[in-house]
Structures are given as C-alpha cells and as structure tokens.
Amino acid sequence: MQKRAFFRLRAARQRVAGMTAQQTEHPTEPTNMDENLNFDTLAVRSGSLRSEFNEHSEALYLTSSFCFGSAAEAAERFKNSDTGYTYARFTNPTVTMFQDRLAALEGGEACMATASGMAAIMSVVMAELQQGDHIVSSRSLFGSTLGMFSQIFPRFGITTTFVDPSDFDAWKNAVRPETKMFVLETPSNPLTEVADIEAVSQIAKAAGALFVVDNCFCSPALQQPLKSGADVVMHSATKFLDGQGRVLGGALVGSKAFIMEKVFPFVRSAGPTLSAFNAWVLLKGMETLSLRVEKQSANALEIARWLEAHPAVKRVFYPGLESHPQHALAMRQQKSGGAIVSFELKGDTPEQQRANAWSVIDGTKVCSITGNLGDTRTTITHPATTTHGRIAPEARAAAGITEGLIRLAVGLEDPRDVRNDLAHGLDAAQ
Ligand SMILES: *Cc1c(COP(=O)(O)O)cnc(C)c1O
C-alpha cells in the first residue's frame, strides 16, 4: 500500500517538476523489508520511505498539501485518501514513516499518529464509541485521561466505571450490556502498579470489549501489549519515544481494520493530526529507544535500591524491586522495571510529609522540577500538588497519592549524581 502511494507520489512529482532521467534512474522502495527483523534493527531501519533523491535519513516533508498531475488524478487520489497523499491533515510521508516504525516496534499491523497522547485517547473513544456506550477502566490513570473519562465523555453520554486494575472480579462485575471498551495503564502513574495484561485481555474478550492499553511508561522496548492480548496500544510519544523532552505526539497501534476503517476517518475529519516536524523528531528519538530505556531502567533500579535503604524514606514504588507487590508479574511482563521510581517520605502528619517532600525537591540541583517524564534528564515531581492536583482530595487519597509522595523519572545522568542530588533534602528530612 505504501509502495503504491510512494510511486504515485513520485510519478506526480516527476510530471509536475519535470525530473531528469538521471534523478529517477534508481527508484528506491520503502525499506520495510523483512518482518522477522529484531527490535533494535526495526528501531533504526523500519519506516523509511525514500524519495527519488535517495536520501539516507528520513526526509522532512513540510507541506500542507500535495499536487496532482491532472484533475482526474486529483479526483482519484481524494477517493483513496488512505493510500495517496492529498492533504497533511490526512497523511504526510514523514508521519507515515513514524507510523510504520511504531507499528513495527509494537508488533501491530497499522498505526495512526496523533498530535499528543491525549489526542490518541480522544481518537480511540471517538472512533469506537457512541452515545450510551460504557467503558471499564483501571482507576490508576494519567490525570488528564481520568479527567476525560470522568468529566468530558459523560457529557456525550459515554460513561466509565473505574476498577482496581489487579482485581479481576471488579473488571468482570463492572461489565454491562453496553460495555464496549476496556482501558488499562501498566505500570500506572505515579505508583507504578502493574496489572496483568493477558488476564485482563481475556475478560475484555469475553465481554466483547475493545481492549486499549496505554504503553507510555514502558514503551515497546520493555513491553508489547498487543502480544499479550491488547487490541489497541496507545502512546504519548511525548515521553520515551521522543525521549528528549522536545515535542508532543501520540499514536494508536492495532489491527489494520481498526486503525484504517475506524480511527483514520475520525482523525482525517476532526484533525488531531501529528505534525510532520514532530514526526521527524520522534523518528530520531525512536532510533535510540531501547538503548535509552534500558540504561534509564538500570539507573532507576540503582536509585530505587538506595532510596529503599534511606531512613527518611517510608516506601519505594518500583516494579524492579523485590518489595514491589507485583514484582514477579512485572518481571514476567516487562523486560525490566522501567525508568519511573516513586517514593514516599516519612512524616507524622500530611503537612509534615508535604514539607519533607518539597524540601527534597527544592534541595535538588541536577534533577529538573517539571512534569514531563521519559526524558534523558531526570525529572522530579510532587504528584499531589501538580499532575494529580486537580483530583478531589478523597479520590487522591483512595488512589494512594499522599502528600509525601515524589515521582522520579530517571534519566541518563550518572546515578551517583542523582543520588547525591536527592540526599541534600533527604538527609535534612531525618
Ligand atoms: C503523558 C501521558 C499521557 C498524555 O500524553 P500527552 O502527550 O501529554 O498528551 C497519557 N498517558 C500517560 C501514561 C502519560 O504519561
């Protein structure tokens, strides 16, 4: 399909630009050659669509529309806007390359890129559901996702029941005749709860619901939910896929039928499209994905072990630690523990806990006080007053997000420097 689109694009461009024979003598094809290549090879080699100039790196197509050789060709191309390039709200070759690469890394048939992770959440719901439909979702969700499910979608008649992600009976009991979708994030933000994708997928299947997994925290380098029974993987590409804190992006990966027949018509019409420039930045990020995530995971484990031994720390939440309640499941389901470490400080009252947490955060000079994660630079956040600040205090407490909790998204600095950076505030908190 891509190949046809590419040759059609080239033919049109030759006609319009009057290309010389020399420039077109060596036609190149999309370099998605072999489906049996391994992950690290796919990360640097898949999703490369070369133009007639045979450029080695991915070209950045900064254009909002594409030209046609004739009125008849324009008519034909608009009729098949999924296979030919017409307008960048529909498709763009740089975005196609990003989509093909992410589909390859997740082991999915097709991918639709979106402007952000939240645009991906919106698109999967708008593509699949209608008024009166019902979602069953893990209650441990990214703050804005929780906001969409609990405040925005109900206005359009789409309601959600939230369940403890590890309680299989709760998933089963929440199913109603109008249930159409299951949503799971694992590991969760910020407490790194791990849920069994395979087990939840079986309940979703029995309920006839589309099973959507947010794979933001692990990235495909550590976990490929489609292989464990998920129907759709959603991403905030803003996080590990970029990996350097530069651009927003999102994506949905799944079957060709779902992505092309349900998601694409929505994205094409409503316009939560990924920009070509952001796709190009993300393509560069994905080339180093597994290198980064594996090193960040190793750094995170080292820091988590050190935190666990520190007298000012009450508890550490990290799937790679033996003390994590779902450690065995995490080690089975994920390649490693990931880069997110949360920890709770001691303190007699919530006020004392908050003061201790803030003094650890304010004592850092290396870590960045910022809400993003998945960056090469370690970021430090106080969830209760930032990412989860808008949630009702009772709901926050029920979710276990206390005033003493700090979330660390470990980067690529020398972990000894991050430890020393945290030690200023931790030693003072004792
Ligand atoms: C950041 C994030 C999102 C939202 O992505 P944006 O790109 O910020 O819109 C969704 N889910 C998880 C788990 C996230 O961390």
Side-chain angles (χ1 to χ4, degrees):
M1 178 188 85
Q2 287 160 15
K3 203 154 125 183
R4 233 187 313 134
F6 168 76
F7 282 117
R8 226 181 292 157
L9 167 68
R10 203 185 57 205
R13 285 165 106 227
Q14 284 163 11
R15 214 166 310 134
V16 173
M19 290 291 174
T20 65
Q22 204 182 10
Q23 275 170 323
T24 57
E25 228 164 51
H26 307 287
T28 30
E29 298 183 7
T31 55
N32 264 345
M33 320 144 269
D34 182 349
E35 289 182 356
N36 298 318
L37 293 171
N38 291 300
F39 188 91
D40 287 351
T41 309
L42 292 171
V44 295
R45 291 276 172 192
S46 65
S48 294
L49 207 59
R50 287 198 180 127
S51 78
E52 64 271 39
F53 300 115
N54 247 337
E55 66 279 358
H56 187 205
S57 291
E58 296 80 14
L60 173 48
Y61 290 91
L62 282 183
T63 178
S64 32
S65 69
F66 299 84
C67 294
F68 314 108
S70 67
E73 192 183 64
E76 176 63 21
R77 199 96 65 79
F78 266 85
K79 217 185 295 163
N80 300 299
S81 64
D82 53 338
T83 55
Y85 295 101
T86 52
Y87 187 60
R89 175 156 38 78
F90 299 16
T91 43
N92 172 292
T94 314
V95 176
T96 302
M97 290 189 256
F98 165 76
Q99 292 173 160
D100 290 349
R101 185 167 297 174
L102 186 57
L105 295 186
E106 286 288 1
E109 285 175 6
C111 168
M112 182 60 49
T114 56
S116 66
M118 292 319 300
I121 285 278
M122 175 186 71
S123 299
V124 74
V125 169
M126 298 297 272
E128 177 70 5
L129 303 186
Q130 59 185 22
Q131 188 179 29
D133 286 346
H134 175 250
I135 301 169
V136 182
S137 171
S138 162
R139 67 179 180 202
S140 305
L141 285 181
F142 181 69
S144 298
T145 311
L146 199 58
M148 292 283 275
F149 287 171
S150 56
Q151 280 149 36
I152 310 274
F153 295 138
R155 291 204 275 115
F156 301 91
I158 296 166
T159 54
T160 301
T161 302
F162 297 101
V163 298
D164 174 343
S166 299
D167 183 345
F168 302 138
D169 287 335
W171 286 98
K172 281 181 206 150
N173 293 336
V175 173
R176 303 182 198 158
E178 59 275 20
T179 301
K180 297 280 163 58
M181 188 179 285
F182 270 38
V183 178
L184 177 66
E185 236 176 89
T186 178
S188 70
N189 180 26
L191 292 174
T192 71
E193 281 174 87
V194 177
D196 192 327
I197 297 172
E198 169 108 53
V200 176
S201 87
Q202 281 165 13
I203 303 167
K205 214 152 273 155
L210 188 83
F211 183 29
V212 180
V213 176
D214 183 330
N215 199 25
C216 185
F217 264 42
C218 271
S219 90
L222 299 187
Q223 166 175 288
Q224 292 157 318
L226 297 175
K227 292 182 182 159
S228 307
D231 297 307
V232 179
V233 163
M234 70 100 14
H235 269 287
S236 167
T238 317
K239 312 296 167 51
F240 289 98
L241 300 185
D242 174 9
Q244 291 162 70
R246 303 168 297 192
V247 299
L248 288 180
L252 296 165
V253 185
S255 71
K256 197 163 158 187
F258 179 71
I259 296 295
M260 294 315 294
E261 286 161 30
K262 293 200 168 169
V263 180
F264 179 57
F266 172 75
V267 172
R268 181 182 61 188
S269 304
T273 312
L274 182 66
S275 83
F277 179 78
N278 287 10
W280 183 82
V281 173
L282 294 168
L283 279 161
K284 298 297 106 195
M286 285 152 82
E287 287 170 16
T288 55
L289 181 68
S290 68
L291 269 179
R292 281 185 285 108
V293 174
E294 284 170 27
K295 180 70 166 96
Q296 284 169 265
S297 270
N299 290 355
L301 180 61
E302 183 179 330
I303 293 164
R305 287 205 198 288
W306 175 80
L307 282 168
E308 199 166 42
H310 197 288
V313 174
K314 187 168 159 193
R315 194 172 160 195
V316 180
F317 302 86
Y318 183 67
L321 288 177
E322 293 74 12
S323 60
H324 189 282
Q326 297 103 28
H327 174 68
L329 169 64
M331 293 302 98
R332 197 164 71 236
Q333 189 163 274
Q334 307 171 195
K335 207 165 159 191
S336 65
I340 315 297
V341 180
S342 289
F343 59 103
E344 199 175 19
L345 294 171
K346 290 178 183 165
D348 295 333
T349 62
E351 292 73 26
Q352 184 63 50
Q353 276 203 315
R354 181 193 287 198
N356 285 342
W358 281 22
S359 86
V360 169
I361 293 170
D362 292 342
T364 60
K365 292 198 177 76
V366 173
C367 298
S368 312
I369 307 173
T370 179
N372 194 31
L373 62 93
D375 199 303
T376 53
R377 289 158 290 203
T378 300
T379 63
I380 189 164
T381 319
H382 186 242
T385 52
T386 60
T387 52
H388 292 67
R390 264 175 291 169
I391 299 167
E394 313 80 62
R396 199 162 54 230
I401 298 164
T402 64
E403 292 289 338
L405 189 74
I406 290 176
R407 187 193 76 191
L408 211 57
V410 177
L412 290 177
E413 302 95 343
D414 190 312
R416 290 171 298 186
D417 293 330
V418 176
R419 273 166 25 189
N420 289 340
D421 204 38
L422 295 168
H424 301 137
L426 281 175
D427 294 345
Q430 282 180 74

